[in-house]
Amino acid sequence: MPSLHRASISVTPAVETNDAKEQNVDAHLLQGMGYSQELYRGFSPLMSFAFCFTAVNVLVSMSLGFTFTLHTGGSGVAIWSWLIGSVFTILIGLSLAEICSVYPSAGSVYHWAGQLVSARHAPLASYICGWFNLMGNVASNTAFASGFSSILDAALVLGGKTSLSLGVQVAISIGILSMWAIQNTFRIDQQGWLNNLAAFFQIASTITIFIVLFAMAPQRASAHDVFLSTYNGTGFPFPYVCCISILSTLFSFCGYEAGAHLAEETRDAGRAAPRGIFGTCICSAIVGLLYLLALLFSIPDIGVFLNSNSEENASTNFIIATYQLAAPGRGAIALTILLILNVYFAGMSSFTVATRIGFAMARDGVFPFSHYLRWIYNGTKTPLANVIFIFCIDSMLLLLQLLSTTAFSAIIAIATLGYQISYLIPIFFRFTSARKTFPLGEFNLGRFSLPIAFISSVWLAITSVFMFFPTEYPVTKDNMNYTIIVVGGVSFIAAMYWIFSARHWFVGPKRTDQHETPLSPGHVTAEDNVITEIPTDIALSKLQTSTFNT
């Protein structure tokens, strides 16, 4: 009888580890979508959730928008906006998680938009969705970087130092961006453990701040004031205020699709990434509600608080003023330090997300010079060219603050709008063009899928319009909402590029139903690096067949 070594395939005698099996399955699934495994698949399911939770970081995003929250409706409007916004955000998260389960790719919503519509319209749908999502992610990075410098300045003032000039704060913001860029050159699993720490730190920080504010506040607001009192510092009618007040809530939730952007770097991504999205929405809603209640109960009278911390009388920003009101002196400084560290972690994760959507778009040839922007450094398997690209765009957006005193509010609105539109497009296609053809993944909503997608689409469409509304009356050049200018400018550039160039050659992300479609050079994704590993069970089957035939 011939010996086994004559078989045409060799198998490692040791049993293959579960991680290796998962990576092989994930790599073959990615190949089935038309792409090679280029990024390092080092994220565990826990890391995926931690990354998603850290990228959203409601402790930070709520703190950055707290001044807007109090001016635009006060306590009562803030609480009810959060409760209503949380419900709709969870529904949106469910819809996105269901789609992610079927298409776990780095392009996330950009990739899904090209899969859920007809092949004829896929290029334009994915092109629009990708640009909006990239814009939202870039603006989110900018908001975190700007927030870091402003809170650091507030901490210095709290410690008796002189306030930093706007120019110095912008310089600090760009410096923090450079640190995030450097950190994103490391291998993804090395970042993953730091994200696990960041997620734990965020939860611990929230609990600490919650306890300190409730235990040490000398006076507290009544439940009636927190849930029913309102404040209108905008100059607009109250119904209008109720509409624009949702901005701070929506910004606080932005980025919960982050885990999907890391799907190509996550093991068992078809289950881990969608669970990360849904889990982040639930946890963020709970953590955010606790934090918001702690802040609002610490302010006995919103009107008096706002008057004493107005621009003429203010020595620090509103979130730090709230800490100081509840825990004067060292207590406020300690809470501020916790917040600064959380801002750093949030920006770090947000920056990673932006580089992945940029990489996915460059891989498909969306940008000019995509061949260079999609370059991956083999040493760490990270999209190094896109790290530099995102850093440059973020830095330019930060310079807007030198032109307008309301630029930060505009940056928040730009980030929120970018996310909203990029979520709307694939969800809308899910219950329209793909309602009968969408394949169900391991995470699916069953008969509730289409109704939830419809409700999510209506909510996203209506609230996206609010992002363009001015927030102060009368409207002047200093307080106008520059969202329309920035979004309009980016949209115009993208539209001109599409009309005169991209529409002639861009075919969208690779589709699972049309492998024969000719692809542009921008779609070449290291096809020479073909995955040669074969799962053990397949190898054993082939070995047995070979031996039997012999």
Side-chain angles (χ1 to χ4, degrees):
M1 179 178 179
S3 61
L4 290 181
H5 72 272
R6 291 180 57 188
S8 60
I9 185 170
S10 61
V11 182
T12 304
V15 178
E16 188 176 30
T17 65
N18 290 333
D19 284 350
K21 286 183 179 180
E22 287 177 356
Q23 291 188 45
N24 285 333
V25 171
D26 289 328
H28 285 288
L29 176 61
L30 186 60
Q31 281 189 326
M33 291 190 287
Y35 297 103
S36 295
Q37 181 69 56
E38 297 180 87
L39 302 171
Y40 182 73
R41 197 175 287 274
F43 255 24
S44 66
L46 175 61
M47 288 178 179
S48 178
F49 165 75
F51 176 82
C52 204
F53 187 63
T54 305
V56 174
N57 205 319
V58 291
L59 176 65
V60 171
S61 51
M62 289 180 68
S63 298
L64 297 181
F66 193 58
T67 298
F68 179 86
T69 298
L70 294 185
H71 269 296
T72 315
S75 293
V77 174
I79 284 292
W80 291 107
S81 291
W82 184 265
L83 293 174
I84 295 171
S86 295
V87 172
F88 283 102
T89 297
I90 291 172
L91 294 179
I92 297 167
L94 285 170
S95 293
L96 293 179
E98 181 181 51
I99 301 172
C100 178
S101 180
V102 177
Y103 306 112
S105 71
S108 183
V109 288
Y110 152 79
H111 182 261
W112 307 339
Q115 300 295 327
L116 298 173
V117 73
S118 65
R120 178 183 177 184
H121 299 103
L124 182 58
S126 59
Y127 184 85
I128 295 174
C129 187
W131 274 102
F132 271 104
N133 190 256
L134 180 64
M135 182 168 55
N137 277 289
V138 167
S140 183
N141 298 345
T142 307
F144 286 133
S146 177
F148 183 93
S149 63
S150 65
I151 295 174
L152 178 62
D153 177 62
L156 294 175
V157 173
L158 197 61
K161 306 294 183 180
T162 304
S163 179
L164 301 173
S165 66
L166 181 59
V168 172
Q169 291 187 45
V170 171
I172 292 175
S173 300
I174 295 176
I176 289 298
L177 272 176
S178 66
M179 293 181 65
W180 293 337
I182 292 172
Q183 198 164 325
N184 272 275
T185 62
F186 298 151
R187 210 171 66 179
I188 193 63
D189 57 335
Q190 296 170 338
Q191 296 181 53
W193 289 110
L194 189 56
N195 278 297
N196 287 352
L197 174 63
F200 172 78
F201 187 75
Q202 180 190 167
I203 295 174
S205 299
T206 304
I207 294 174
T208 300
I209 295 174
F210 180 83
I211 293 174
V212 169
L213 294 182
F214 267 112
M216 299 185 64
Q219 291 181 300
R220 297 188 185 89
S222 65
H224 178 275
D225 288 339
V226 169
F227 285 91
L228 298 177
S229 68
T230 60
Y231 180 90
N232 185 357
T234 67
F236 287 105
F238 186 70
Y240 180 94
V241 172
C242 292
C243 292
I244 63 174
S245 65
I246 197 66
L247 170 59
S248 57
T249 295
L250 297 180
F251 173 72
S252 299
F253 276 110
C254 279
Y256 45 88
E257 92 294 1
H261 286 294
L262 272 293
E264 290 184 28
E265 297 162 85
T266 303
R267 297 189 293 272
D268 194 18
R271 285 187 295 181
R275 288 178 180 178
I277 294 173
F278 178 62
T280 295
C281 292
I282 295 292
C283 292
S284 296
I286 296 172
V287 170
L289 180 61
L290 292 177
Y291 184 50
L292 185 60
L293 287 173
L295 292 173
L296 296 178
F297 270 107
S298 300
I299 306 174
D301 189 305
I302 295 292
V304 173
F305 177 81
L306 292 177
N307 182 63
S308 61
N309 290 280
S310 63
E311 291 185 4
E312 293 79 11
N313 305 319
S315 59
T316 184
N317 66 25
F318 282 9
I319 194 69
I320 307 304
T322 305
Y323 293 167
Q324 194 172 18
L325 186 66
R330 293 182 178 179
I333 294 176
L335 297 183
T336 304
I337 292 174
L338 289 180
L339 182 58
I340 290 174
L341 292 174
N342 274 283
V343 175
Y344 183 86
F345 287 136
M348 173 191 71
S349 299
S350 179
F351 193 96
T352 304
V353 176
T355 62
R356 270 36 178 196
I357 180 61
F359 163 75
M361 294 173 68
R363 178 173 60 180
D364 290 331
V366 174
F367 308 119
F369 308 108
S370 287
H371 176 73
Y372 300 101
L373 292 176
R374 67 164 317 283
W375 177 67
I376 292 176
Y377 175 58
N378 288 331
T380 57
K381 293 187 177 180
T382 55
L384 187 57
N386 236 277
V387 170
I388 300 172
F389 175 57
I390 296 300
F391 169 76
C392 293
I393 297 178
D394 284 337
S395 298
M396 289 188 290
L397 195 56
L398 278 170
L399 296 176
L400 279 178
Q401 296 176 100
L402 300 176
L403 304 177
S404 171
T405 56
T406 58
F408 184 75
S409 296
I411 290 172
I412 290 179
I414 293 166
T416 308
L417 177 69
Y419 283 117
Q420 292 265 111
I421 299 298
S422 68
Y423 297 164
L424 170 62
I425 293 175
I427 294 176
F428 177 76
F429 290 149
R430 166 66 186 95
F431 79 89
T432 53
S433 59
R435 66 185 183 279
K436 295 182 179 179
T437 59
F438 181 74
L440 297 180
E442 293 190 53
F443 187 103
N444 66 83
L445 306 178
R447 61 180 179 178
F448 298 104
S449 177
L450 295 182
I452 290 176
F454 174 77
I455 294 172
S456 299
S457 297
V458 172
W459 171 260
L460 288 168
I462 293 175
T463 53
S464 293
V465 178
F466 299 155
M467 302 301 107
F468 295 106
F469 290 2
T471 58
E472 292 184 29
Y473 184 84
V475 180
T476 67
K477 64 179 182 64
D478 293 323
N479 64 23
M480 73 168 288
N481 188 346
Y482 281 92
T483 303
I484 186 65
I485 304 297
V486 177
V487 173
V490 173
S491 299
F492 177 78
I493 294 172
M496 291 300 99
Y497 182 57
W498 172 263
I499 292 171
F500 292 106
S501 179
R503 70 186 179 94
H504 299 294
W505 50 263
F506 180 62
V507 297
K510 294 184 179 181
R511 292 174 61 89
T512 57
D513 59 348
Q514 289 188 332
H515 291 301
E516 72 280 5
T517 302
L519 300 176
S520 67
H523 280 277
V524 178
T525 58
E527 299 302 338
D528 53 327
N529 297 329
V530 179
I531 297 172
T532 56
E533 297 179 9
I534 302 178
T536 302
D537 51 351
I538 298 176
L540 288 174
S541 176
K542 290 185 176 182
L543 175 61
Q544 291 172 356
T545 303
S546 175
T547 305
F548 178 80
N549 292 336
T550 304

